[in-house]
Amino acid sequence: MAISYPLSPPAPFRISKLSLTGVSAASRNVSPFTYQIQQYNWQGQGWLGSVECPPMVRSDAEQVIAFLLAAQGGTFYFQDYANTSPRGAVTGTLTVSSATANASTLGISGATGSFALGDWLQISTSLYKVIQVNSSSSVDVFPVLRSSYAAGTSITTSNAKGVFRLMQPKADWTIDLASIYGVGFAIVEDVAQ
């Protein structure tokens, strides 16, 4: 059977350390005479990450290694495994009410309660973080919206995932004298989704 992308990591997927970085395509010009700064903010924003798995025995490690070897050829789902539930008290069947590509404000229908800063949202295959709560029906997110999502598009708040790729198409692992495996890898959001 052919491999189908995006892949899902093996379950349960254990992480001992996850480092996420929100990056923006911004450049700065600093005057060498006055030190005044001009900043240029472009539309590009996304997620980078570094993942370290806890020490594993071979049976567990081989599942992760097989996943990484297969992931070299495409994309996979990934999430913040330490924060799978929203911090806010928002409930309901959430859908998009308004969303403009490359904007940061997301209009939401069907929400009761409130969002909290840092809540993760999944729309389609993209992963967003709430960076400002405007109301129960509007939040600002990072990164900018990938698409002008149609009204009624579903929004997921629990176990929100995005589509990522390996930063480099390679899989590295170590094996010590006690046959304990060490696995780590770097990821980048697949913004072409």
Side-chain angles (χ1 to χ4, degrees):
M1 180 164 63
I3 296 173
S4 177
Y5 298 99
L7 301 172
S8 292
F13 191 70
R14 294 183 182 91
I15 296 176
S16 60
K17 184 176 182 182
L18 172 62
S19 298
L20 287 174
T21 303
V23 294
S24 295
S27 61
R28 292 181 180 154
N29 183 23
V30 180
S31 167
F33 306 107
T34 65
Y35 293 109
Q36 290 180 321
I37 298 173
Q38 287 182 313
Q39 182 157 321
Y40 306 94
N41 297 315
W42 306 102
Q43 296 171 347
Q45 292 183 334
W47 300 109
L48 303 175
S50 172
V51 181
E52 292 179 28
C53 297
M56 294 178 267
V57 296
R58 183 176 183 190
S59 60
D60 294 333
E62 291 296 356
Q63 292 181 36
V64 176
I65 292 167
F67 164 73
L68 292 174
L69 291 171
Q72 292 179 44
T75 58
F76 54 90
Y77 292 107
F78 205 78
Q79 68 187 81
D80 179 351
Y81 287 91
N83 298 294
T84 57
S85 298
R87 291 181 53 234
V90 68
T91 59
T93 303
L94 281 62
T95 60
V96 171
S97 65
S98 64
T100 303
N102 298 315
S104 62
T105 301
L106 172 64
I108 300 170
S109 295
T112 57
S114 60
F115 290 94
L117 295 179
D119 283 351
W120 290 105
L121 306 176
Q122 176 186 344
I123 306 173
S124 184
T125 58
S126 294
L127 186 62
Y128 300 100
K129 193 172 205 48
V130 174
I131 59 171
Q132 180 172 309
V133 177
N134 303 321
S135 67
S136 65
S137 61
S138 174
V139 295
D140 286 354
V141 296
F142 181 94
V144 293
L145 295 166
R146 300 276 177 239
S147 174
S148 294
Y149 298 106
T153 301
S154 179
I155 300 173
T156 302
T157 58
S158 292
N159 290 309
K161 300 172 182 66
V163 174
F164 288 78
R165 293 182 180 275
L166 292 175
M167 183 85 72
Q168 298 291 325
K170 65 178 187 168
D172 297 321
W173 64 93
T174 60
I175 309 167
D176 68 14
L177 288 174
S179 295
I180 301 298
Y181 285 65
V183 180
F185 55 97
I187 59 175
V188 60
E189 183 184 15
D190 186 33
V191 296
Q193 293 295 315

